[in-house]
PDB file of all heavy atoms in Angstrom:
ATOM      1  N   SER N 126      27.591   3.838  -1.406  1.00  0.00           N
ATOM      2  CA  SER N 126      26.613   2.684  -1.215  1.00  0.00           C
ATOM      3  C   SER N 126      27.423   1.273  -1.158  1.00  0.00           C
ATOM      4  O   SER N 126      27.076   0.398  -0.235  1.00  0.00           O
ATOM      5  CB  SER N 126      25.789   2.528  -2.555  1.00  0.00           C
ATOM      6  OG  SER N 126      24.908   3.600  -2.790  1.00  0.00           O
ATOM      7  N   ALA N 127      28.375   1.131  -1.926  1.00  0.00           N
ATOM      8  CA  ALA N 127      29.167  -0.223  -1.838  1.00  0.00           C
ATOM      9  C   ALA N 127      29.833  -0.211  -0.375  1.00  0.00           C
ATOM     10  O   ALA N 127      29.820  -1.397   0.192  1.00  0.00           O
ATOM     11  CB  ALA N 127      30.219  -0.246  -2.844  1.00  0.00           C
ATOM     12  N   GLU N 128      30.456   0.836   0.055  1.00  0.00           N
ATOM     13  CA  GLU N 128      31.061   0.832   1.430  1.00  0.00           C
ATOM     14  C   GLU N 128      30.137   0.449   2.481  1.00  0.00           C
ATOM     15  O   GLU N 128      30.429  -0.321   3.410  1.00  0.00           O
ATOM     16  CB  GLU N 128      31.726   2.210   1.715  1.00  0.00           C
ATOM     17  CG  GLU N 128      33.016   2.485   1.123  1.00  0.00           C
ATOM     18  CD  GLU N 128      33.436   3.872   1.386  1.00  0.00           C
ATOM     19  OE1 GLU N 128      33.218   4.366   2.460  1.00  0.00           O
ATOM     20  OE2 GLU N 128      34.052   4.497   0.476  1.00  0.00           O
ATOM     21  N   ILE N 129      28.892   0.958   2.430  1.00  0.00           N
ATOM     22  CA  ILE N 129      27.905   0.628   3.469  1.00  0.00           C
ATOM     23  C   ILE N 129      27.490  -0.790   3.310  1.00  0.00           C
ATOM     24  O   ILE N 129      27.245  -1.432   4.457  1.00  0.00           O
ATOM     25  CB  ILE N 129      26.651   1.601   3.259  1.00  0.00           C
ATOM     26  CG1 ILE N 129      26.958   2.992   3.559  1.00  0.00           C
ATOM     27  CG2 ILE N 129      25.388   1.026   4.005  1.00  0.00           C
ATOM     28  CD1 ILE N 129      25.925   4.066   3.107  1.00  0.00           C
ATOM     29  N   LEU N 130      27.397  -1.386   2.246  1.00  0.00           N
ATOM     30  CA  LEU N 130      26.768  -2.785   2.016  1.00  0.00           C
ATOM     31  C   LEU N 130      27.801  -3.877   1.962  1.00  0.00           C
ATOM     32  O   LEU N 130      27.481  -5.057   2.361  1.00  0.00           O
ATOM     33  CB  LEU N 130      25.942  -2.730   0.699  1.00  0.00           C
ATOM     34  CG  LEU N 130      24.853  -1.820   0.501  1.00  0.00           C
ATOM     35  CD1 LEU N 130      24.409  -1.845  -0.943  1.00  0.00           C
ATOM     36  CD2 LEU N 130      23.706  -2.296   1.451  1.00  0.00           C
ATOM     37  N   GLU N 131      29.037  -3.542   1.591  1.00  0.00           N
ATOM     38  CA  GLU N 131      29.938  -4.738   1.355  1.00  0.00           C
ATOM     39  C   GLU N 131      30.466  -5.488   2.513  1.00  0.00           C
ATOM     40  O   GLU N 131      30.900  -6.646   2.413  1.00  0.00           O
ATOM     41  CB  GLU N 131      31.010  -4.358   0.391  1.00  0.00           C
ATOM     42  CG  GLU N 131      32.014  -3.337   0.996  1.00  0.00           C
ATOM     43  CD  GLU N 131      32.957  -2.691  -0.125  1.00  0.00           C
ATOM     44  OE1 GLU N 131      32.770  -3.027  -1.325  1.00  0.00           O
ATOM     45  OE2 GLU N 131      33.793  -1.818   0.288  1.00  0.00           O
ATOM     46  N   GLY N 132      30.317  -4.917   3.841  1.00  0.00           N
ATOM     47  CA  GLY N 132      30.721  -5.655   4.924  1.00  0.00           C
ATOM     48  C   GLY N 132      29.891  -6.762   5.414  1.00  0.00           C
ATOM     49  O   GLY N 132      30.278  -7.552   6.160  1.00  0.00           O
ATOM     50  N   PHE N 133      28.657  -6.715   4.891  1.00  0.00           N
ATOM     51  CA  PHE N 133      27.695  -7.669   5.079  1.00  0.00           C
ATOM     52  C   PHE N 133      27.565  -8.728   4.044  1.00  0.00           C
ATOM     53  O   PHE N 133      27.217  -8.394   2.920  1.00  0.00           O
ATOM     54  CB  PHE N 133      26.385  -7.034   5.429  1.00  0.00           C
ATOM     55  CG  PHE N 133      25.165  -7.939   5.950  1.00  0.00           C
ATOM     56  CD1 PHE N 133      25.458  -8.818   6.982  1.00  0.00           C
ATOM     57  CD2 PHE N 133      23.895  -7.889   5.500  1.00  0.00           C
ATOM     58  CE1 PHE N 133      24.397  -9.640   7.487  1.00  0.00           C
ATOM     59  CE2 PHE N 133      22.953  -8.688   5.894  1.00  0.00           C
ATOM     60  CZ  PHE N 133      23.260  -9.526   6.864  1.00  0.00           C
ATOM     61  N   GLU N 134      28.156  -9.966   4.319  1.00  0.00           N
ATOM     62  CA  GLU N 134      28.345 -10.980   3.230  1.00  0.00           C
ATOM     63  C   GLU N 134      27.121 -11.282   2.352  1.00  0.00           C
ATOM     64  O   GLU N 134      27.355 -11.297   1.132  1.00  0.00           O
ATOM     65  CB  GLU N 134      28.901 -12.344   3.817  1.00  0.00           C
ATOM     66  CG  GLU N 134      29.411 -13.353   2.935  1.00  0.00           C
ATOM     67  CD  GLU N 134      28.469 -14.483   2.646  1.00  0.00           C
ATOM     68  OE1 GLU N 134      27.829 -14.784   3.584  1.00  0.00           O
ATOM     69  OE2 GLU N 134      28.260 -14.772   1.445  1.00  0.00           O
ATOM     70  N   PRO N 135      25.917 -11.285   2.856  1.00  0.00           N
ATOM     71  CA  PRO N 135      24.758 -11.617   1.801  1.00  0.00           C
ATOM     72  C   PRO N 135      24.668 -10.472   0.844  1.00  0.00           C
ATOM     73  O   PRO N 135      23.872 -10.521  -0.116  1.00  0.00           O
ATOM     74  CB  PRO N 135      23.570 -11.729   2.900  1.00  0.00           C
ATOM     75  CG  PRO N 135      24.051 -12.105   4.160  1.00  0.00           C
ATOM     76  CD  PRO N 135      25.451 -11.482   4.217  1.00  0.00           C
ATOM     77  N   PHE N 136      25.069  -9.260   1.284  1.00  0.00           N
ATOM     78  CA  PHE N 136      24.853  -8.014   0.349  1.00  0.00           C
ATOM     79  C   PHE N 136      26.149  -7.759  -0.583  1.00  0.00           C
ATOM     80  O   PHE N 136      26.157  -6.687  -1.169  1.00  0.00           O
ATOM     81  CB  PHE N 136      24.641  -6.747   1.166  1.00  0.00           C
ATOM     82  CG  PHE N 136      23.344  -6.763   1.839  1.00  0.00           C
ATOM     83  CD1 PHE N 136      23.065  -5.885   2.974  1.00  0.00           C
ATOM     84  CD2 PHE N 136      22.258  -7.599   1.532  1.00  0.00           C
ATOM     85  CE1 PHE N 136      21.864  -5.911   3.525  1.00  0.00           C
ATOM     86  CE2 PHE N 136      20.988  -7.662   2.095  1.00  0.00           C
ATOM     87  CZ  PHE N 136      20.843  -6.675   3.325  1.00  0.00           C
ATOM     88  N   GLU N 137      27.050  -8.735  -0.663  1.00  0.00           N
ATOM     89  CA  GLU N 137      28.190  -8.543  -1.510  1.00  0.00           C
ATOM     90  C   GLU N 137      27.906  -8.207  -3.007  1.00  0.00           C
ATOM     91  O   GLU N 137      28.421  -7.232  -3.494  1.00  0.00           O
ATOM     92  CB  GLU N 137      29.123  -9.701  -1.535  1.00  0.00           C
ATOM     93  CG  GLU N 137      30.337  -9.610  -0.735  1.00  0.00           C
ATOM     94  CD  GLU N 137      31.178 -10.948  -0.678  1.00  0.00           C
ATOM     95  OE1 GLU N 137      31.193 -11.718  -1.611  1.00  0.00           O
ATOM     96  OE2 GLU N 137      31.568 -11.196   0.470  1.00  0.00           O
ATOM     97  N   ASP N 138      27.052  -9.027  -3.638  1.00  0.00           N
ATOM     98  CA  ASP N 138      26.747  -8.632  -5.047  1.00  0.00           C
ATOM     99  C   ASP N 138      25.775  -7.399  -5.089  1.00  0.00           C
ATOM    100  O   ASP N 138      26.001  -6.521  -6.100  1.00  0.00           O
ATOM    101  CB  ASP N 138      25.794  -9.792  -5.522  1.00  0.00           C
ATOM    102  CG  ASP N 138      26.606 -10.969  -5.895  1.00  0.00           C
ATOM    103  OD1 ASP N 138      27.821 -10.852  -6.037  1.00  0.00           O
ATOM    104  OD2 ASP N 138      26.004 -12.054  -6.024  1.00  0.00           O
ATOM    105  N   VAL N 139      24.967  -7.139  -4.083  1.00  0.00           N
ATOM    106  CA  VAL N 139      24.156  -5.879  -4.015  1.00  0.00           C
ATOM    107  C   VAL N 139      25.018  -4.760  -3.993  1.00  0.00           C
ATOM    108  O   VAL N 139      24.842  -3.732  -4.778  1.00  0.00           O
ATOM    109  CB  VAL N 139      23.249  -5.922  -2.825  1.00  0.00           C
ATOM    110  CG1 VAL N 139      22.463  -4.568  -2.793  1.00  0.00           C
ATOM    111  CG2 VAL N 139      22.339  -7.083  -2.907  1.00  0.00           C
ATOM    112  N   ALA N 140      26.228  -4.778  -3.205  1.00  0.00           N
ATOM    113  CA  ALA N 140      27.199  -3.725  -3.101  1.00  0.00           C
ATOM    114  C   ALA N 140      27.850  -3.464  -4.428  1.00  0.00           C
ATOM    115  O   ALA N 140      27.968  -2.292  -4.940  1.00  0.00           O
ATOM    116  CB  ALA N 140      28.234  -4.171  -1.976  1.00  0.00           C
ATOM    117  N   LYS N 141      28.202  -4.582  -5.068  1.00  0.00           N
ATOM    118  CA  LYS N 141      28.879  -4.416  -6.447  1.00  0.00           C
ATOM    119  C   LYS N 141      27.937  -3.681  -7.518  1.00  0.00           C
ATOM    120  O   LYS N 141      28.261  -2.889  -8.254  1.00  0.00           O
ATOM    121  CB  LYS N 141      29.345  -5.807  -6.946  1.00  0.00           C
ATOM    122  CG  LYS N 141      30.196  -5.911  -8.165  1.00  0.00           C
ATOM    123  CD  LYS N 141      30.498  -7.236  -8.654  1.00  0.00           C
ATOM    124  CE  LYS N 141      29.299  -7.844  -9.177  1.00  0.00           C
ATOM    125  NZ  LYS N 141      29.269  -9.229  -9.575  1.00  0.00           N
ATOM    126  N   ASN N 142      26.651  -4.176  -7.426  1.00  0.00           N
ATOM    127  CA  ASN N 142      25.722  -3.613  -8.431  1.00  0.00           C
ATOM    128  C   ASN N 142      25.455  -2.172  -8.176  1.00  0.00           C
ATOM    129  O   ASN N 142      25.262  -1.429  -9.072  1.00  0.00           O
ATOM    130  CB  ASN N 142      24.356  -4.436  -8.333  1.00  0.00           C
ATOM    131  CG  ASN N 142      24.673  -5.882  -8.823  1.00  0.00           C
ATOM    132  OD1 ASN N 142      25.464  -6.106  -9.673  1.00  0.00           O
ATOM    133  ND2 ASN N 142      23.905  -6.800  -8.206  1.00  0.00           N
ATOM    134  N   ALA N 143      25.437  -1.754  -6.838  1.00  0.00           N
ATOM    135  CA  ALA N 143      25.224  -0.395  -6.493  1.00  0.00           C
ATOM    136  C   ALA N 143      26.403   0.418  -7.017  1.00  0.00           C
ATOM    137  O   ALA N 143      26.247   1.521  -7.464  1.00  0.00           O
ATOM    138  CB  ALA N 143      24.994  -0.190  -4.962  1.00  0.00           C
ATOM    139  N   LYS N 144      27.604  -0.101  -6.708  1.00  0.00           N
ATOM    140  CA  LYS N 144      28.870   0.732  -7.016  1.00  0.00           C
ATOM    141  C   LYS N 144      28.927   1.156  -8.454  1.00  0.00           C
ATOM    142  O   LYS N 144      29.377   2.191  -8.701  1.00  0.00           O
ATOM    143  CB  LYS N 144      29.946  -0.263  -6.657  1.00  0.00           C
ATOM    144  CG  LYS N 144      31.323   0.512  -6.777  1.00  0.00           C
ATOM    145  CD  LYS N 144      32.495  -0.341  -6.399  1.00  0.00           C
ATOM    146  CE  LYS N 144      33.779   0.414  -6.523  1.00  0.00           C
ATOM    147  NZ  LYS N 144      34.972  -0.354  -6.164  1.00  0.00           N
ATOM    148  N   HIS N 145      28.343   0.267  -9.333  1.00  0.00           N
ATOM    149  CA  HIS N 145      28.501   0.484 -10.753  1.00  0.00           C
ATOM    150  C   HIS N 145      27.410   0.966 -11.543  1.00  0.00           C
ATOM    151  O   HIS N 145      27.255   1.031 -12.748  1.00  0.00           O
ATOM    152  CB  HIS N 145      29.190  -0.736 -11.377  1.00  0.00           C
ATOM    153  CG  HIS N 145      30.420  -1.321 -10.893  1.00  0.00           C
ATOM    154  ND1 HIS N 145      31.627  -0.450 -11.044  1.00  0.00           N
ATOM    155  CD2 HIS N 145      30.810  -2.310 -10.222  1.00  0.00           C
ATOM    156  CE1 HIS N 145      32.582  -1.003 -10.513  1.00  0.00           C
ATOM    157  NE2 HIS N 145      32.094  -2.150  -9.915  1.00  0.00           N
ATOM    158  N   HIS N 146      26.335   1.603 -10.817  1.00  0.00           N
ATOM    159  CA  HIS N 146      25.120   2.002 -11.445  1.00  0.00           C
ATOM    160  C   HIS N 146      25.235   3.345 -12.086  1.00  0.00           C
ATOM    161  O   HIS N 146      24.277   3.802 -12.824  1.00  0.00           O
ATOM    162  CB  HIS N 146      23.871   2.000 -10.593  1.00  0.00           C
ATOM    163  CG  HIS N 146      23.677   3.187  -9.547  1.00  0.00           C
ATOM    164  ND1 HIS N 146      24.396   3.258  -8.380  1.00  0.00           N
ATOM    165  CD2 HIS N 146      23.080   4.281  -9.746  1.00  0.00           C
ATOM    166  CE1 HIS N 146      23.983   4.439  -7.849  1.00  0.00           C
ATOM    167  NE2 HIS N 146      23.224   5.059  -8.640  1.00  0.00           N
ATOM    168  N   HIS N 147      26.457   3.987 -12.075  1.00  0.00           N
ATOM    169  CA  HIS N 147      26.627   5.139 -12.827  1.00  0.00           C
ATOM    170  C   HIS N 147      27.708   5.098 -13.883  1.00  0.00           C
ATOM    171  O   HIS N 147      28.274   5.982 -14.475  1.00  0.00           O
ATOM    172  CB  HIS N 147      27.007   6.337 -12.006  1.00  0.00           C
ATOM    173  CG  HIS N 147      25.698   7.040 -11.411  1.00  0.00           C
ATOM    174  ND1 HIS N 147      24.823   7.802 -12.133  1.00  0.00           N
ATOM    175  CD2 HIS N 147      25.121   6.890 -10.146  1.00  0.00           C
ATOM    176  CE1 HIS N 147      23.828   8.169 -11.362  1.00  0.00           C
ATOM    177  NE2 HIS N 147      24.014   7.673 -10.139  1.00  0.00           N
ATOM    178  N   GLU N 148      28.127   3.732 -14.172  1.00  0.00           N
ATOM    179  CA  GLU N 148      29.028   3.411 -15.290  1.00  0.00           C
ATOM    180  C   GLU N 148      28.254   3.636 -16.573  1.00  0.00           C
ATOM    181  O   GLU N 148      27.031   3.430 -16.768  1.00  0.00           O
ATOM    182  CB  GLU N 148      29.543   1.971 -15.170  1.00  0.00           C
ATOM    183  CG  GLU N 148      30.216   1.586 -13.938  1.00  0.00           C
ATOM    184  CD  GLU N 148      31.671   2.172 -13.706  1.00  0.00           C
ATOM    185  OE1 GLU N 148      32.095   2.904 -14.697  1.00  0.00           O
ATOM    186  OE2 GLU N 148      32.248   1.877 -12.602  1.00  0.00           O
ATOM    187  N   ARG N 149      28.897   4.189 -17.639  1.00  0.00           N
ATOM    188  CA  ARG N 149      28.354   4.219 -18.918  1.00  0.00           C
ATOM    189  C   ARG N 149      28.779   3.194 -19.867  1.00  0.00           C
ATOM    190  O   ARG N 149      29.849   2.657 -19.723  1.00  0.00           O
ATOM    191  CB  ARG N 149      28.696   5.678 -19.606  1.00  0.00           C
ATOM    192  CG  ARG N 149      28.104   6.834 -18.798  1.00  0.00           C
ATOM    193  CD  ARG N 149      28.727   8.112 -19.456  1.00  0.00           C
ATOM    194  NE  ARG N 149      28.698   8.008 -20.926  1.00  0.00           N
ATOM    195  CZ  ARG N 149      27.974   8.970 -21.579  1.00  0.00           C
ATOM    196  NH1 ARG N 149      27.389  10.017 -21.045  1.00  0.00           N
ATOM    197  NH2 ARG N 149      28.055   8.911 -22.887  1.00  0.00           N
ATOM    198  N   TYR N 150      27.859   2.741 -20.840  1.00  0.00           N
ATOM    199  CA  TYR N 150      28.118   1.723 -21.690  1.00  0.00           C
ATOM    200  C   TYR N 150      29.375   2.024 -22.525  1.00  0.00           C
ATOM    201  O   TYR N 150      30.189   1.102 -22.798  1.00  0.00           O
ATOM    202  CB  TYR N 150      27.033   1.564 -22.677  1.00  0.00           C
ATOM    203  CG  TYR N 150      26.926   0.131 -23.370  1.00  0.00           C
ATOM    204  CD1 TYR N 150      26.703  -0.967 -22.585  1.00  0.00           C
ATOM    205  CD2 TYR N 150      26.982   0.021 -24.737  1.00  0.00           C
ATOM    206  CE1 TYR N 150      26.569  -2.112 -23.253  1.00  0.00           C
ATOM    207  CE2 TYR N 150      26.940  -1.095 -25.330  1.00  0.00           C
ATOM    208  CZ  TYR N 150      26.692  -2.367 -24.670  1.00  0.00           C
ATOM    209  OH  TYR N 150      26.691  -3.517 -25.174  1.00  0.00           O
TER     210      TYR N 150
END
Side-chain angles (χ1 to χ4, degrees):
S126 295
E128 278 174 36
I129 290 168
L130 300 166
E131 67 196 357
F133 186 44
E134 194 257 319
F136 291 161
E137 251 174 41
D138 284 343
V139 177
K141 189 184 70 185
N142 295 328
K144 182 175 181 181
H145 297 296
H146 81 272
H147 280 285
E148 305 284 1
R149 291 172 49 119
Y150 201 68

